[in-house]
């Protein structure tokens, strides 16, 4: 265990319409055993003591599963470690004297609410558009009635592991949400339960994504590299396939 | 007050069926005249919202996070139980019922637990139909594992992310109803109070966490599914936002609180490593299948684990419990770890940890097998601690994990306020004094998918369907009170941060009302809590205003409630002079220092009724009777 | 509404149109490349090949119209995508760091695209809207032995190669083809294709510059 000192340049913005700016803070001594969010906690405790407003940032589980946390650290959504959410990132990955620029996820579809907190309700809206199986409670057949090849179940799980953090959007040069949408469309199209609605789902979710003002996918692969859950762009290819099949061949519009 | 559990008559296996038949129905055309508020969008809240909306009710759902997909249920790792008996290993509804009630150390209602076991199978069917990608065998059938010491394989799982997948299933069902216009989803809203009019729950008051606006919402019934209160200890495995506020506010409006002192402490968590620490991370219990728990024999031994010779290692669980060894239940493992550390044999920089050593298993099975089994967990451990359990023993320590106590509910899941229903971890219903692994997910979904849709109709059928609105004077009054409290908090402008005070409270609770409790310690805590509360109301520092996103203010509101609630926990712990389940009263132990239950005097639910801020709460008993199982003393020797 | 129209209204649809037009343009490049390779066989072969092409008459015309349409579709769609993508992130980051997914090819698609437009115009002016009586070999040699123009061709053709280094892989992803078994082959194939196209095309201005005997 040892302490490091960092220079923090943190995006401060009072509200959605207020102008924002990078503000510089000295971190004070930071234990390398701390998580990134604990480092922000320490800063916030100090700011509070000094009567200043602490930095607002979203977080909840601090275990890398709820998808609530996230900020861009030196240009990297969730920081520089691969497959690691911001809450799971530990300070031992930084060196004494480092400067960290901490910014919110940026996209037209992600309004900044305050400091590092952004509005990601667009992700919910895309699920609302079609990211479900239309089955009411009750009346489901026995769970083992339809066997599902292990490989399909595993692949569906790979896609379903998405935590809805929005880092893919933040990392994409075009602020596209394709990886997120692709993860859901793939998850459900790989399982027989999702089949009846697969055409509708692909069309509706893509339409919603476009209407929300996310960008287009240029296959830059930045999302995959930034995704804390390692969601593969294979899912994007699958989404493209599902969408094109639906748009060209199905009766749905 | 007379507590009527409304458990239906008849044989255990027929109670739920009979009750469903006896429940009044509401005709489909009338359902759309009823508005229901659901607070919480974890497993219980999301499943309830979706199911009620499917039936035709108008639902408004609230949650703290920016999206309903983030409820704390998402963090559950291990799995969910069901009595499917797919493995043909002798499982049955009765066995799941029996294991659950025994696991709860005979402090839960038979009828509720039996119903839970009954609907457990429907839950799995429902989740699969939604597209939950449970683990499967090569042949395409669902896979099971045995979990939490059960002797049958009945746990369904989706890698180490079962809670996530179940919640995403419930969330998708919820969003489908949002699309249909049957659910209005209000995220980033914190419920601050319930509104009770003429003795019935009629709505809630919320704070819009972005704008700070205090809002009122009226409905024909209110469903609370706001999760557990483990964060009263400051450090726990719960998400940062988990709180008691909603339940506590309901309590102060007349909903009784049951067994508040029943808290589960999980034995295998990553130890605390510094004062800045904000939360504890759970390491799956399955690790104890291959890891050996040990400490150095000599107190104060600070050598690195590799340098401690075999004959100076104390495998205390194996020595003390030869037949169960490292696999003793959660409460026993937790208590023994604390005991070792209290004797000065704890390890790590804080002395508050024990080793979990895999070297024997690695030598026996080879590192490949161990990596395959635990690679993910080891990886997660390494991410947090920078140590690799393949090369050096893991360090673990118990942490607060789950709260069995909660708002008292009857068989219909209705609290003592008519029209106020409580689901999931927020109620007290099914786990008695100790919850078995993989049964909280089951309970949350049972409540939401399969119980509340029937029982709420039974209540709604008794009230008028005329539209509710928030213009009633009571709404304004409750909203004003909520606003006044916020104003008061902001006016303190003291010196201590919310977390500092919360940490102080947490430490006190951990020491005196944690893994083991005794009269003296509890009395001390009872004296100290009001002082901390006083300090809070005099000296807390909350920068910023109420009319904006203000996370310090949010936390302050929750800690203010924890500070009141903690006192009730201690009072409850004091009044239960027996050891049972996770509740270990040092005064009540066998000669071998094991928990000693006292069925003669304590086979009841302790139910507390609010009686004004300056009076002690009123105590009620709901006696527990066991007609189908014979309470037995647990032994793991 | 026809399905092409509805395709055009969606992001994924537009990308599939980019991919389809890009694929056809790539195929055209390949034939063009094979045709141009005849130049390495010498002046007479090359001239004969050009004669042969011209003699196809109406067919050439149809082909040219088709090609123009393809280019226009590709260019217009590309511009729309580019503008939409810019708008999707109005506030930029203060620090921009790649995550490791982007390549030189992928990040320069719109810019190499613009270079290609300019190139095509110059190229058409040089070889299409010109005195058709001059034998092709003389035309090529005459123009490309001038260092500034040769350099322009070389740079432009490098841009084409760069465009393809990403595009030739990307188009498969856009139409939904991505398979663990073939991904390695596809990625390497795309790179190989772009290098091949680049090398062969660039060889012509290079030879025209440095070789004394090329097309003489
Ligand atoms: C790390 C961990 C692992 C676990 N693993 C397992 C396991 O393997 N198997 C198992 O069965 N159980 C497990 N559990 C327990 C189980 O996850 C929980 O008990 C269960 O998910 C609780 O669900 P819930 O719906 O009752 O509450 P939660 O999921 O906690 O949801 C609470 C909801 O209420 C909302 N809310 C809270 N307060 C307010 C308020 N004031 N106003 C508005 N909204 C509010 C929140 O936003 C949230 O949406 C685990 C628990 C933890 C901590
Ligand atoms: C020699 C001619 C050309 C060929 C062979 C070609 C080929 C391709 C191919 C194969 C793609 C990949 C499509 C995909 O990602 O699915 C592509 C993308 C692209 N092309 Fe071209 N192209 C040519 C000319 C042009 C021109 C003249 C422009 C000018 C605007 C242009 C602009 C673009 C852009 C912007 C993209 C990226 C679109 C995106 O992913 O957002 N291209 N091209
Ligand atoms: S795909 Fe990855 S980066 Fe995108 S929301 Fe899901 S988990 Fe986050
Ligand atoms: S706080 Fe939940 S993923 Fe980081």
């Amino acid at each position: 265990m040892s302490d490091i000192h960092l220079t923090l340049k943190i995006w401060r913005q009072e509200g959605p319409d207020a102008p924002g700016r990078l503000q510089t803070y000295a971190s004070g001594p930071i234990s390398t055993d701390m998580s990134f969010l604990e480092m922000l906690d320490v800063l916030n405790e100090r700011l509070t003591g000094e009567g200043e407003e602490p930095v607002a940032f979203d977080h909840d589980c601090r275990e890398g599963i709820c998808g609530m946390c996230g900020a861009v650290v030196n240009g990297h959504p969730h920081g520089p470690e691969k497959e690691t959410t911001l809450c799971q990132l530990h300070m031992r990955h930084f060196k004494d004297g480092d400067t960290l620029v901490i910014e919110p996820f940026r996209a037209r579809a992600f309004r900044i609410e305050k400091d590092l907190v952004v509005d990601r309700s667009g992700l919910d809206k895309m699920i609302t558009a079609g990211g479900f199986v239309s089955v009411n409670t009750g009346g489901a057949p026995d769970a083992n009635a339809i066997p599902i090849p292990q490989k399909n179940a595993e692949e569906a799980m790979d896609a379903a592991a998405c935590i809805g953090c929005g880092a893919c959007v933040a990392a994409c040069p075009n602020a596209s949400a394709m990886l997120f949408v692709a993860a859901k469309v793939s998850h459900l199209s790989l399982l027989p339960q999702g089949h009846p609605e697969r055409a509708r789902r692909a069309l509706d979710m893509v339409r919603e994504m476009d209407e929300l003002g996310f960008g287009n996918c240029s296959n830059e692969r930045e999302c995959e590299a930034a995704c804390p859950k390692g969601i593969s762009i294979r899912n994007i290819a699958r989404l493209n396939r599902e969408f094109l099949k639906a748009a060209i061949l199905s009766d749905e519009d | 007050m007379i507590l009527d559990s409304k458990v239906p008559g008849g044989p255990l296996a027929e109670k739920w069926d009979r009750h469903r038949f006896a429940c009044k129905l509401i005709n489909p055309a009338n359902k759309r005249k009823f508005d229901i508020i659901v607070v919480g969008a974890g497993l219980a809240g999301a499943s309830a919202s979706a199911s009620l909306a499917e039936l035709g009710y108008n639902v408004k759902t609230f949650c703290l996070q920016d999206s309903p997909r983030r409820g704390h249920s998402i963090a559950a790792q291990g799995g969910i139980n069901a009595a499917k008996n797919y493995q043909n290993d002798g499982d049955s509804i009765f066995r799941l019922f029996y294991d659950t009630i025994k696991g709860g150390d005979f402090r839960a209602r038979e009828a509720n637990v039996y119903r839970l076991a009954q609907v457990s199978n429907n839950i799995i069917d429902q989740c699969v139909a939604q597209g939950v990608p449970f683990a499967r065998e090569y042949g395409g059938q669902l896979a099971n594992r045995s979990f939490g010491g059960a002797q049958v394989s009945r746990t369904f799982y989706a890698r180490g992310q079962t809670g996530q997948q179940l919640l995403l299933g419930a969330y998708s069902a919820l969003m489908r109803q949002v699309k249909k216009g049957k659910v209005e989803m209000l995220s980033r809203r914190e419920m601050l109070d319930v509104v009770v009019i003429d003795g019935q729950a009629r709505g809630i008051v919320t704070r819009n966490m972005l704008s700070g606006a205090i809002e009122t919402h009226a409905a024909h019934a209110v469903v609370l599914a706001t999760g557990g209160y483990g964060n009263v200890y400051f450090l726990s495995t719960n998400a940062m936002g988990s709180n008691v506020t909603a339940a506590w506010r309901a309590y102060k409006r007349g909903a009784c609180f049951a067994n508040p002192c029943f808290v589960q402490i999980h034995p295998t968590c990553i130890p605390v490593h510094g004062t800045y620490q904000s939360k504890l991370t759970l390491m799956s219990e399955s690790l104890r299948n291959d890891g050996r728990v040990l400490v150095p024999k000599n107190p104060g031994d600070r050598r690195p684990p590799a340098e401690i010779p075999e004959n100076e290692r104390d495998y205390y669980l194996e020595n003390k419990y030869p037949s169960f060894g490292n696999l003793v239940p959660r409460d026993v493992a937790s208590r023994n770890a604390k005991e070792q550390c209290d004797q000065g044999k704890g390890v790590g920089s804080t002395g508050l940890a024990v080793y979990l050593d895999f070297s024997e298993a690695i030598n026996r099975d080879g590192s490949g097998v161990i990596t395959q089994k635990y690679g993910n967990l080891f990886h997660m451990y390494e991410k947090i601690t920078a140590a690799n359990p393949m090369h050096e023993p893991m360090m673990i320590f118990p942490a607060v994990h789950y709260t069995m106590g909660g708002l008292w509910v009857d068989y219909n899941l209705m609290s003592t306020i008519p029209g106020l229903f409580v689901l999931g971890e927020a109620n007290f219903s099914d786990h008695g004094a100790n919850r078995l692994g993989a049964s909280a997910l089951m309970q949350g979904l049972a409540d939401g998918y399969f119980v509340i849709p029937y029982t709420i109709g039974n209540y709604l059928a008794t009230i008028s369907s005329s539209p509710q609105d928030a213009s009633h004077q009571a709404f304004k009054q409750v909203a004003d009170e909520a606003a006044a409290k916020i104003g008061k908090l902001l006016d303190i402008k003291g010196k201590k941060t919310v977390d500092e005070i919360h940490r102080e409270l947490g430490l006190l609770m951990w020491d005196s009302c944690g893994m083991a409790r005794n009269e003296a310690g509890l009395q001390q805590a009872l004296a100290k809590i009001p002082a901390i509360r006083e300090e809070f109301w005099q000296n807390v520092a909350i920068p910023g205003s109420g009319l904006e996103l203000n996370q310090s203010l949010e936390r302050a509101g929750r800690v203010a409630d924890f500070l009141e609630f903690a006192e009730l926990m201690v009072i409850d712990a004091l009044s239960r002079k027996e050891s049972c389940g996770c509740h270990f009263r040092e005064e009540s132990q066998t000669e071998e220092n094991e928990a000693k239950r006292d069925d003669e005097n304590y086979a009841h639910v302790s139910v507390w009724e609010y009686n004004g801020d300056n009076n002690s709460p009123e105590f009620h008993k709901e006696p527990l009777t066991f007609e189908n199982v014979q309470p037995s003393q647990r032994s793991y020797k | 509404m026809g399905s092409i129209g509805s395709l055009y209204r969606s992001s994924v649809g537009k990308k599939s149109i980019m991919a389809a037009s890009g694929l056809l343009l790539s195929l055209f490049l390949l034939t063009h490349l094979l045709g141009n390779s005849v130049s390495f066989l010498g002046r007479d072969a090359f001239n004969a090949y050009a004669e042969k092409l011209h003699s196809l008459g109406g067919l050439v015309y149809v082909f040219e119209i088709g090609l123009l349409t393809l280019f226009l579709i590709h260019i217009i769609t590309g511009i729309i995508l580019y503008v939409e993508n810019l708008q999707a992130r109005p506030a930029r980051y203060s620090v921009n760091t790649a995550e490791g997914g982007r390549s030189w090819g992928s990040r320069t698609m719109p810019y190499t695209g613009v270079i290609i437009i300019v190139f095509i115009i110059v190229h058409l002016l040089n070889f299409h809207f010109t005195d058709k009586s001059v034998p092709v070999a003389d035309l090529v040699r005459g123009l490309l032995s001038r260092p500034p123009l040769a350099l322009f061709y070389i740079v432009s053709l490098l841009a084409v190669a760069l465009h393809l280094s990403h595009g030739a892989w990307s188009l498969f992803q856009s139409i939904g083809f991505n398979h663990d078994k073939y991904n390695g082959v596809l990625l390497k194939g795309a790179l190989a294709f772009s290098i091949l196209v680049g090398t062969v095309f660039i060889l012509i201005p290079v030879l025209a510059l440095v070789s004394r005997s090329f097309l003489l």
Side-chain angles (χ1 to χ4, degrees):
Chain A
M1 209 195 296
S2 60
D3 283 352
I4 52 174
H5 290 76
L6 305 164
T7 304
L8 305 174
K9 295 190 172 174
I10 304 179
W11 186 262
R12 302 303 307 259
Q13 181 170 337
E14 275 169 26
D17 304 318
R21 72 208 177 279
L22 281 174
Q23 177 117 358
T24 307
Y25 303 92
S27 73
I30 294 297
S31 154
T32 49
D33 279 341
M34 278 183 197
S35 72
F36 195 89
L37 299 189
E38 284 166 349
M39 183 271 291
L40 289 179
D41 287 343
V42 167
L43 172 72
N44 277 346
E45 290 284 288
R46 197 182 80 213
L47 292 179
T48 307
E50 292 164 0
E52 255 193 80
E53 271 211 53
V55 180
F57 63 93
D58 264 331
H59 63 105
D60 199 23
C61 72
R62 298 207 175 186
E63 286 192 11
I65 190 74
C66 74
M68 185 105 175
C69 66
V72 175
V73 182
N74 288 348
H76 299 288
H78 288 302
E81 286 294 297
K82 288 283 159 212
E83 296 197 19
T84 306
T85 54
L86 197 61
C87 58
Q88 291 284 76
L89 174 66
H90 280 70
M91 297 311 290
R92 66 181 72 93
H93 300 294
F94 299 98
K95 288 194 304 294
D96 193 39
D98 279 356
T99 296
L100 306 187
V101 180
I102 308 171
E103 300 176 77
F105 286 176
R106 293 188 191 279
R108 173 173 52 174
F110 288 174
R111 186 181 63 186
I112 297 179
E113 299 289 2
K114 186 174 181 176
D115 299 341
L116 304 175
V117 175
V118 297
D119 172 13
R120 285 167 294 187
S121 56
L123 303 181
D124 283 333
K125 291 191 183 121
M126 292 185 284
I127 299 292
T128 306
F132 49 74
V133 173
S134 293
V135 52
N136 281 0
T137 305
D142 184 84
N144 256 346
I146 310 172
I148 300 174
Q150 192 184 52
K151 188 171 163 293
N152 289 30
E154 289 297 310
E155 261 184 82
M157 181 62 216
D158 286 341
C162 163
I163 57 174
C165 61
C168 43
V169 177
C172 175
N174 309 336
S176 162
M178 281 288 274
L179 193 62
F180 172 83
V181 173
K184 187 46 65 189
V185 165
S186 286
H187 159 208
L188 293 176
S189 71
L190 280 160
L191 297 173
Q193 287 80 8
H195 282 188
E197 293 168 284
R198 64 200 287 188
R200 234 327 6 109
R201 179 179 308 117
L203 294 173
D204 286 349
M205 287 187 76
V206 167
R207 178 181 304 142
E208 185 69 27
M209 170 177 80
D210 293 346
E211 278 171 11
L212 287 165
F214 291 102
N216 308 291
C217 176
S218 290
N219 300 329
E220 298 256 25
R221 291 172 282 195
E222 288 286 287
C223 52
E224 176 184 72
C227 172
K229 296 293 141 180
I231 307 288
S232 157
I233 57 160
R234 264 189 86 173
N235 294 300
I236 295 186
R238 192 179 286 109
L239 165 62
N240 290 336
R241 210 149 69 219
E242 293 285 324
F243 177 89
L244 292 173
K245 239 189 326 200
I248 297 169
L249 300 178
S250 81
D251 298 330
E252 312 267 3
D253 63 6
Chain B
M1 178 186 299
I2 300 154
L3 293 169
D4 180 359
S5 65
K6 306 240 174 67
V7 170
L12 187 62
E14 285 169 31
K15 283 181 196 289
W16 177 230
D17 245 12
R18 287 189 184 203
H19 188 66
R20 281 196 290 177
F21 185 68
C23 276
K24 294 183 201 84
L25 296 179
I26 296 181
N27 98 38
N30 279 343
K31 285 204 180 93
R32 70 175 79 98
K33 295 185 187 154
F34 286 102
D35 303 326
I36 299 173
I37 283 174
V38 178
V39 189
L43 281 181
S47 58
S49 304
S51 306
L52 292 170
E54 285 161 12
L55 287 174
Y57 298 112
N58 307 309
V59 179
K60 259 190 190 178
T61 305
F62 298 80
C63 73
L64 298 175
Q65 295 82 357
D66 66 332
S67 157
R69 67 179 289 148
R70 311 202 198 283
H72 167 58
S73 299
I74 201 134
Q77 306 167 347
I80 177 169
N81 284 336
K84 283 284 194 186
N85 194 27
Y86 282 155
Q87 307 308 323
N88 197 28
D89 57 358
D91 202 5
S92 64
I93 289 174
F94 195 86
R95 189 177 293 283
L96 176 55
F97 153 73
Y98 180 78
D99 288 353
T100 308
I101 205 133
K102 177 175 176 227
D105 217 4
F106 304 97
R107 290 293 173 264
R109 254 185 230 143
E110 277 191 341
N112 282 59
V113 179
Y114 194 84
R115 173 176 67 189
L116 177 65
Q118 275 177 309
V119 301
S120 67
N121 291 340
N122 305 59
I123 295 174
I124 304 302
D125 298 342
Q126 184 63 30
C127 294
V128 167
Q130 288 168 345
V132 170
F134 283 122
R136 297 202 171 243
E137 309 288 357
Y138 282 119
Q141 307 296 305
L142 288 158
N144 288 124
R145 61 180 167 210
S146 90
F147 194 72
Q151 283 162 314
V152 290
S153 281
R154 62 157 74 101
T155 304
F156 294 79
Y157 61 100
R159 296 206 185 133
Q161 291 126 278
T162 316
Q164 179 199 28
Q165 293 309 314
L166 296 175
L167 183 60
L168 292 182
Y171 158 79
S172 69
L174 170 67
M175 297 323 262
R176 172 172 165 246
Q177 295 305 313
V178 169
K179 184 176 189 184
K180 290 191 163 174
K182 290 305 290 180
V183 174
E184 186 186 349
M185 185 65 226
L186 295 143
S187 297
R188 292 205 202 262
R189 294 294 196 301
E190 178 151 20
M191 172 190 143
L192 299 179
D193 218 331
V194 232
V195 180
V196 180
I197 300 174
D198 300 332
Q200 290 175 326
R202 278 300 157 80
I204 59 170
V205 169
T206 58
R207 178 172 181 273
N208 179 325
M209 293 161 73
L210 291 178
S211 70
I214 304 293
E215 303 158 332
T216 53
H217 306 271
H220 293 89
V222 176
V223 177
L224 295 189
T226 47
Y229 49 81
N231 280 349
V232 66
Y233 292 91
F234 186 70
L235 287 180
S236 82
T237 62
N238 286 12
M240 304 300 286
S242 298
N243 66 85
V244 78
T245 291
W248 189 247
R249 296 283 124 200
Y251 166 78
K252 291 183 90 169
R253 297 276 168 201
C256 289
F257 216 108
N259 298 333
C261 81
F262 284 175
V263 175
Q264 181 168 75
I265 307 216
H266 197 288
T268 49
C269 297
I270 300 179
V272 178
H273 45 78
T275 47
Y276 49 80
Q277 188 146 354
S278 57
K279 85 152 274 169
L280 296 171
T281 303
L282 179 82
M283 288 274 106
S284 168
E285 218 164 354
S286 60
L287 291 170
R288 285 196 284 144
N289 289 333
D290 283 299
R292 299 177 74 195
V293 178
L294 76 121
V295 289
K297 268 213 174 98
N298 307 315
D301 188 343
R302 281 273 171 269
R303 284 175 292 179
E307 290 172 22
I308 306 175
E310 195 59 34
N311 62 1
E312 288 179 43
R313 295 172 166 216
D314 182 359
Y315 299 94
Y316 58 90
L317 286 179
E318 296 172 16
N319 300 338
K320 217 167 149 184
Y321 307 97
S323 64
F324 274 71
N326 294 300
L327 291 173
V328 292
R330 289 179 179 178
D331 52 332
V332 180
S334 296
R335 261 195 312 276
N336 278 282
K338 174 176 156 49
E339 200 178 288
Q340 296 300 322
C341 296
D342 287 349
Q343 291 169 15
K345 289 151 80 179
V347 299
S349 57
T350 57
L352 288 176
V354 299
Y355 289 125
L356 183 61
D357 188 5
F358 294 89
S359 54
E360 193 190 79
I362 294 171
N363 287 338
R364 184 186 60 223
D365 300 340
S367 55
V369 173
I370 298 301
T371 308
Q372 200 184 3
K373 275 192 187 166
Y374 307 114
N376 276 345
L377 290 165
F378 286 6
H379 186 67
M380 174 152 116
Y381 182 85
E382 193 174 0
K383 231 179 214 177
I384 296 176
T385 63
N388 183 348
M390 290 303 278
H391 308 309
E392 53 186 298
M394 221 177 219
M395 282 196 263
I396 53 166
F397 199 64
V400 172
H401 180 56
Y402 182 86
T403 55
M404 281 75 68
L407 289 175
W408 184 88
V409 289
D410 62 16
Y411 191 69
N412 293 317
L413 303 182
M414 189 158 85
S415 70
T416 50
I417 301 177
L420 181 74
F421 294 80
V422 190
L423 320 184
E425 194 173 340
N427 72 24
F428 88 108
S429 68
D430 297 351
H431 307 295
N434 176 38
R435 176 180 69 81
L436 285 188
S439 59
L441 301 179
M442 171 171 72
Q443 181 228 338
L445 290 179
D447 288 0
Y449 283 135
F450 296 109
V451 179
I452 191 74
Y454 298 97
T455 60
I456 206 167
N458 200 34
Y459 168 76
L460 293 173
T462 65
I463 64 167
S464 149
S465 64
S466 57
Q468 297 292 311
D469 68 75
S471 61
H472 191 286
Q473 180 56 27
F475 279 92
K476 188 172 176 327
Q477 195 184 328
V478 176
D480 287 348
E481 285 171 28
K485 185 174 165 192
I486 288 173
K488 201 170 148 198
L489 283 169
L490 288 167
D491 281 345
I492 301 169
K493 301 204 187 326
K495 293 254 164 319
K496 277 199 172 174
T497 64
V498 177
D499 279 4
E500 271 176 273
I501 298 176
H502 192 179
R503 215 176 267 128
E504 198 180 332
L505 172 72
L507 209 58
L508 176 67
M509 294 301 285
W510 177 246
D511 287 339
S512 55
C513 196
M515 273 182 280
R517 301 117 188 233
N518 59 47
E519 180 85 19
L522 288 166
Q523 289 293 0
Q524 253 179 30
L526 203 54
K528 280 190 193 156
I529 293 168
I532 303 178
R533 195 161 60 221
E534 183 69 8
E535 160 96 28
F536 175 86
W537 283 101
Q538 297 298 326
N539 198 22
V540 75
I542 306 167
S545 84
L547 288 176
E548 57 173 337
L549 175 65
N550 186 337
Q551 295 175 323
S552 310
L553 177 64
E554 291 163 16
R555 284 204 301 275
R558 293 173 203 151
V559 171
D561 290 330
F562 279 136
L563 283 164
E564 296 180 5
F565 171 70
E567 206 170 318
L568 185 68
M569 278 180 78
V570 173
I571 292 175
D572 184 45
L574 270 168
S575 81
R576 188 173 285 275
K577 295 189 182 357
E578 64 159 349
S579 295
C580 65
C582 294
H583 174 71
F584 188 74
R585 266 300 282 263
E586 289 170 3
E587 294 90 335
S588 172
Q589 33 184 313
T590 64
E591 270 138 39
E592 292 150 314
N593 300 335
E594 296 305 326
K596 195 165 107 198
R597 214 176 57 222
D598 177 354
D599 288 338
E600 204 160 309
N601 296 304
Y602 295 98
H604 61 244
V605 181
S606 301
V607 188
W608 301 94
E609 185 184 359
Y610 179 67
N611 204 12
D613 274 338
N614 302 315
N615 305 314
S616 22
E618 197 162 329
F619 176 68
H620 305 277
K621 261 186 208 177
E622 183 201 332
L624 292 168
T625 48
F626 296 93
E627 292 162 0
N628 301 278
V629 294
Q630 191 57 40
S632 56
Q633 198 68 248
R634 298 185 306 165
S635 166
Y636 300 97
K637 289 277 167 180
Chain C
M1 191 65 209
S3 56
I4 293 294
S6 62
L7 269 190
Y8 216 84
R9 267 180 278 122
S10 79
S11 56
V12 177
K14 268 178 285 214
K15 271 304 302 239
S16 68
I17 288 165
M18 278 312 268
S21 54
L23 175 68
L24 293 176
L25 288 174
S26 303
L27 290 179
F28 158 70
L29 271 190
L30 195 63
T31 48
H32 195 9
L33 177 102
L34 291 174
N36 282 7
S37 307
V38 177
S39 63
F40 304 131
L41 301 179
R43 176 187 172 83
D44 295 339
F46 196 43
N47 280 341
Y49 160 72
E51 282 298 309
K52 182 103 186 157
L53 270 189
H54 289 156
S55 68
L56 292 176
L59 217 53
V60 173
Y61 195 61
V62 171
F63 186 79
E64 281 174 349
I65 294 285
L67 198 56
L68 184 67
T69 320
L70 269 185
F71 262 113
L72 286 179
I73 290 176
H74 192 81
I75 291 170
I76 291 168
T77 314
I79 292 173
I80 294 176
L81 287 170
Y82 176 72
V83 172
E84 284 179 352
N85 290 343
L86 271 188
Q87 286 170 343
R89 178 167 293 125
R92 318 304 289 183
Y93 289 110
S94 327
V95 179
N96 284 290
T97 331
E99 290 300 312
R102 316 183 75 170
S103 63
W104 278 102
S106 75
R107 52 167 89 219
T108 52
M109 286 308 267
Y111 317 121
T112 48
V114 170
I115 297 177
I116 297 171
I117 299 183
V118 175
F119 171 68
I120 290 168
I121 294 170
V122 173
H123 185 51
L124 288 182
L125 286 177
N126 284 344
F127 291 97
H128 194 81
F129 303 106
T130 181
D131 183 359
K132 290 267 164 66
S133 61
V134 183
V136 172
D138 293 345
L139 202 58
V140 170
R141 226 201 124 87
L143 285 166
L144 295 186
S145 57
R146 299 203 302 237
L149 199 63
L151 198 66
F152 171 74
Y153 267 72
I154 292 170
V155 170
S156 303
L157 289 163
L158 278 175
V160 172
L162 199 55
H163 198 80
L164 282 176
S165 70
H166 175 69
W169 164 78
S170 176
L171 74 92
F172 289 100
Q173 172 80 3
S174 295
I175 55 171
F177 188 85
N178 178 325
H179 194 291
D180 279 350
K181 264 195 207 162
Y182 308 107
N183 278 350
V185 179
L186 267 190
L187 274 168
K188 284 192 200 115
L191 195 64
F193 180 63
S194 64
I195 292 174
L196 177 81
V197 169
T199 320
V200 174
F201 275 124
I202 288 174
L203 216 51
I204 297 171
V206 168
L207 284 178
L209 261 189
V210 300
S211 158
R212 291 179 172 221
S213 59
F214 183 56
L215 290 181
L216 279 176

